[in-house]
Each structure stands twice: as C-alpha cells, then as structure tokens.
Amino acid sequence: SPVEVAECFSHFTYVYSCEKFFVGQLQGEYDENSSILKLTDPTIHSYEIPARQGERQLAFKSLDRSKKALHNFFHSHKCGFLCRQVMKNYFKSKHKALEKERNKLT
C-alpha cells in the first residue's frame, strides 16, 4: 500500500543514515493507473546534529522535531513485508560490500 511504502522509506532513511537522520511526515499522491507513488513535503529530522549556534535550525528549519518525531514514528510503525524485505536486502548488500573491502586488504 502507499502508506506502507512511505513508512518503509522513513524507516530506511533512519537505518541508512546510521541513526542520525529521519525523513518523515511524508505526503503525496498515488496514481493507481500507473502504480506510481509521488512523495512530497518531506521533513528531515536530525538526531545527532548539535544545536549549537543554531546549526540545527539552519539545516532543517523549524520543522525538525528531532527525537520526538523519531519516537512517535517508531511507536506506531510496525514493519510489514515490504519493510522487512528492504531491510534484509540492504543489510545483505552492505555485508557483501564489507566483505569485498575486507578481501582487498588481504
């Protein structure tokens, strides 16, 4: 479903960024005829960017809810089939890349 795709994308951004960023509050439209989901208006929440000298505000404007947005998302998100497959394939490819790098060193 379009909701599952959007939630999977949000979850993946958190994992891919090594738990530093999270893209949430996605909106969009789904065209059933073409099966295309256009996601719009993403909000990037920073989890580890320091608040000193207004860096967080400059980078993410006033929309950044940091840890609160992350907590709210994972409190309600349940990984479905798509999410589990994406994470499994991501970690599998990441493992292969690490093995390739390791083999270069030997």
Side-chain angles (χ1 to χ4, degrees), residues 14-26:
Y14 179 69
V15 171
Y16 186 79
S17 71
C18 299
E19 302 177 356
K20 293 180 182 176
F21 300 99
F22 169 74
V23 178
Q25 295 175 311
L26 294 167

PDB file of all heavy atoms in Angstrom, residues 14-26:
ATOM      1  N   TYR A  14      16.376   6.276   8.316  1.00  0.00           N
ATOM      2  CA  TYR A  14      16.977   6.225   9.654  1.00  0.00           C
ATOM      3  C   TYR A  14      18.094   5.184   9.696  1.00  0.00           C
ATOM      4  O   TYR A  14      19.188   5.445  10.184  1.00  0.00           O
ATOM      5  CB  TYR A  14      15.887   5.913  10.679  1.00  0.00           C
ATOM      6  CG  TYR A  14      16.379   5.820  12.100  1.00  0.00           C
ATOM      7  CD1 TYR A  14      16.826   6.954  12.761  1.00  0.00           C
ATOM      8  CD2 TYR A  14      16.382   4.614  12.775  1.00  0.00           C
ATOM      9  CE1 TYR A  14      17.267   6.879  14.072  1.00  0.00           C
ATOM     10  CE2 TYR A  14      16.815   4.535  14.085  1.00  0.00           C
ATOM     11  CZ  TYR A  14      17.265   5.668  14.730  1.00  0.00           C
ATOM     12  OH  TYR A  14      17.706   5.578  16.021  1.00  0.00           O
ATOM     13  N   VAL A  15      17.835   4.020   9.137  1.00  0.00           N
ATOM     14  CA  VAL A  15      18.842   2.952   9.128  1.00  0.00           C
ATOM     15  C   VAL A  15      20.026   3.342   8.255  1.00  0.00           C
ATOM     16  O   VAL A  15      21.182   3.218   8.656  1.00  0.00           O
ATOM     17  CB  VAL A  15      18.218   1.622   8.638  1.00  0.00           C
ATOM     18  CG1 VAL A  15      19.270   0.558   8.402  1.00  0.00           C
ATOM     19  CG2 VAL A  15      17.182   1.129   9.635  1.00  0.00           C
ATOM     20  N   TYR A  16      19.751   3.849   7.049  1.00  0.00           N
ATOM     21  CA  TYR A  16      20.807   4.191   6.096  1.00  0.00           C
ATOM     22  C   TYR A  16      21.720   5.296   6.622  1.00  0.00           C
ATOM     23  O   TYR A  16      22.912   5.308   6.350  1.00  0.00           O
ATOM     24  CB  TYR A  16      20.179   4.600   4.761  1.00  0.00           C
ATOM     25  CG  TYR A  16      21.189   4.838   3.680  1.00  0.00           C
ATOM     26  CD1 TYR A  16      21.761   3.763   3.000  1.00  0.00           C
ATOM     27  CD2 TYR A  16      21.575   6.118   3.327  1.00  0.00           C
ATOM     28  CE1 TYR A  16      22.692   3.967   2.002  1.00  0.00           C
ATOM     29  CE2 TYR A  16      22.510   6.334   2.334  1.00  0.00           C
ATOM     30  CZ  TYR A  16      23.075   5.253   1.669  1.00  0.00           C
ATOM     31  OH  TYR A  16      24.004   5.460   0.681  1.00  0.00           O
ATOM     32  N   SER A  17      21.164   6.224   7.388  1.00  0.00           N
ATOM     33  CA  SER A  17      21.955   7.337   7.913  1.00  0.00           C
ATOM     34  C   SER A  17      22.681   6.974   9.203  1.00  0.00           C
ATOM     35  O   SER A  17      23.220   7.853   9.867  1.00  0.00           O
ATOM     36  CB  SER A  17      21.056   8.545   8.175  1.00  0.00           C
ATOM     37  OG  SER A  17      20.216   8.304   9.289  1.00  0.00           O
ATOM     38  N   CYS A  18      22.700   5.705   9.526  1.00  0.00           N
ATOM     39  CA  CYS A  18      23.329   5.240  10.777  1.00  0.00           C
ATOM     40  C   CYS A  18      22.676   5.880  11.993  1.00  0.00           C
ATOM     41  O   CYS A  18      23.339   6.308  12.936  1.00  0.00           O
ATOM     42  CB  CYS A  18      24.833   5.484  10.759  1.00  0.00           C
ATOM     43  SG  CYS A  18      25.674   4.619   9.440  1.00  0.00           S
ATOM     44  N   GLU A  19      21.363   6.016  11.926  1.00  0.00           N
ATOM     45  CA  GLU A  19      20.538   6.524  13.011  1.00  0.00           C
ATOM     46  C   GLU A  19      20.794   7.990  13.344  1.00  0.00           C
ATOM     47  O   GLU A  19      20.622   8.423  14.474  1.00  0.00           O
ATOM     48  CB  GLU A  19      20.696   5.646  14.251  1.00  0.00           C
ATOM     49  CG  GLU A  19      20.339   4.204  13.979  1.00  0.00           C
ATOM     50  CD  GLU A  19      20.554   3.289  15.170  1.00  0.00           C
ATOM     51  OE1 GLU A  19      21.064   3.746  16.207  1.00  0.00           O
ATOM     52  OE2 GLU A  19      20.195   2.110  15.058  1.00  0.00           O
ATOM     53  N   LYS A  20      21.183   8.777  12.330  1.00  0.00           N
ATOM     54  CA  LYS A  20      21.435  10.204  12.546  1.00  0.00           C
ATOM     55  C   LYS A  20      20.332  11.092  11.998  1.00  0.00           C
ATOM     56  O   LYS A  20      20.148  12.207  12.465  1.00  0.00           O
ATOM     57  CB  LYS A  20      22.769  10.602  11.920  1.00  0.00           C
ATOM     58  CG  LYS A  20      23.944   9.964  12.615  1.00  0.00           C
ATOM     59  CD  LYS A  20      25.238  10.369  11.988  1.00  0.00           C
ATOM     60  CE  LYS A  20      26.374   9.654  12.694  1.00  0.00           C
ATOM     61  NZ  LYS A  20      27.655   9.927  12.086  1.00  0.00           N
ATOM     62  N   PHE A  21      19.638  10.624  10.971  1.00  0.00           N
ATOM     63  CA  PHE A  21      18.581  11.395  10.339  1.00  0.00           C
ATOM     64  C   PHE A  21      17.350  10.528  10.153  1.00  0.00           C
ATOM     65  O   PHE A  21      17.439   9.298  10.146  1.00  0.00           O
ATOM     66  CB  PHE A  21      19.019  11.912   8.960  1.00  0.00           C
ATOM     67  CG  PHE A  21      20.211  12.790   9.003  1.00  0.00           C
ATOM     68  CD1 PHE A  21      21.468  12.284   8.712  1.00  0.00           C
ATOM     69  CD2 PHE A  21      20.096  14.122   9.338  1.00  0.00           C
ATOM     70  CE1 PHE A  21      22.582  13.089   8.750  1.00  0.00           C
ATOM     71  CE2 PHE A  21      21.210  14.939   9.384  1.00  0.00           C
ATOM     72  CZ  PHE A  21      22.453  14.422   9.087  1.00  0.00           C
ATOM     73  N   PHE A  22      16.254  11.191   9.930  1.00  0.00           N
ATOM     74  CA  PHE A  22      14.986  10.504   9.744  1.00  0.00           C
ATOM     75  C   PHE A  22      14.119  11.382   8.852  1.00  0.00           C
ATOM     76  O   PHE A  22      13.945  12.562   9.133  1.00  0.00           O
ATOM     77  CB  PHE A  22      14.353  10.295  11.126  1.00  0.00           C
ATOM     78  CG  PHE A  22      12.935   9.839  11.092  1.00  0.00           C
ATOM     79  CD1 PHE A  22      12.614   8.544  10.745  1.00  0.00           C
ATOM     80  CD2 PHE A  22      11.921  10.708  11.423  1.00  0.00           C
ATOM     81  CE1 PHE A  22      11.301   8.119  10.725  1.00  0.00           C
ATOM     82  CE2 PHE A  22      10.610  10.292  11.416  1.00  0.00           C
ATOM     83  CZ  PHE A  22      10.300   8.986  11.063  1.00  0.00           C
ATOM     84  N   VAL A  23      13.628  10.838   7.759  1.00  0.00           N
ATOM     85  CA  VAL A  23      12.741  11.587   6.872  1.00  0.00           C
ATOM     86  C   VAL A  23      11.315  11.150   7.187  1.00  0.00           C
ATOM     87  O   VAL A  23      10.990   9.972   7.074  1.00  0.00           O
ATOM     88  CB  VAL A  23      13.067  11.336   5.384  1.00  0.00           C
ATOM     89  CG1 VAL A  23      12.092  12.090   4.492  1.00  0.00           C
ATOM     90  CG2 VAL A  23      14.501  11.744   5.074  1.00  0.00           C
ATOM     91  N   GLY A  24      10.516  12.073   7.588  1.00  0.00           N
ATOM     92  CA  GLY A  24       9.162  11.730   7.997  1.00  0.00           C
ATOM     93  C   GLY A  24       8.141  12.725   7.513  1.00  0.00           C
ATOM     94  O   GLY A  24       8.440  13.620   6.721  1.00  0.00           O
ATOM     95  N   GLN A  25       6.943  12.576   8.009  1.00  0.00           N
ATOM     96  CA  GLN A  25       5.806  13.432   7.677  1.00  0.00           C
ATOM     97  C   GLN A  25       5.608  13.520   6.164  1.00  0.00           C
ATOM     98  O   GLN A  25       5.351  14.579   5.611  1.00  0.00           O
ATOM     99  CB  GLN A  25       5.976  14.818   8.284  1.00  0.00           C
ATOM    100  CG  GLN A  25       5.957  14.791   9.799  1.00  0.00           C
ATOM    101  CD  GLN A  25       6.246  16.130  10.403  1.00  0.00           C
ATOM    102  OE1 GLN A  25       7.215  16.785  10.032  1.00  0.00           O
ATOM    103  NE2 GLN A  25       5.421  16.532  11.340  1.00  0.00           N
ATOM    104  N   LEU A  26       5.768  12.383   5.502  1.00  0.00           N
ATOM    105  CA  LEU A  26       5.635  12.354   4.053  1.00  0.00           C
ATOM    106  C   LEU A  26       4.178  12.476   3.630  1.00  0.00           C
ATOM    107  O   LEU A  26       3.290  11.912   4.257  1.00  0.00           O
ATOM    108  CB  LEU A  26       6.212  11.049   3.505  1.00  0.00           C
ATOM    109  CG  LEU A  26       7.712  10.892   3.690  1.00  0.00           C
ATOM    110  CD1 LEU A  26       8.129   9.464   3.409  1.00  0.00           C
ATOM    111  CD2 LEU A  26       8.465  11.851   2.790  1.00  0.00           C
TER     112      LEU A  26
END
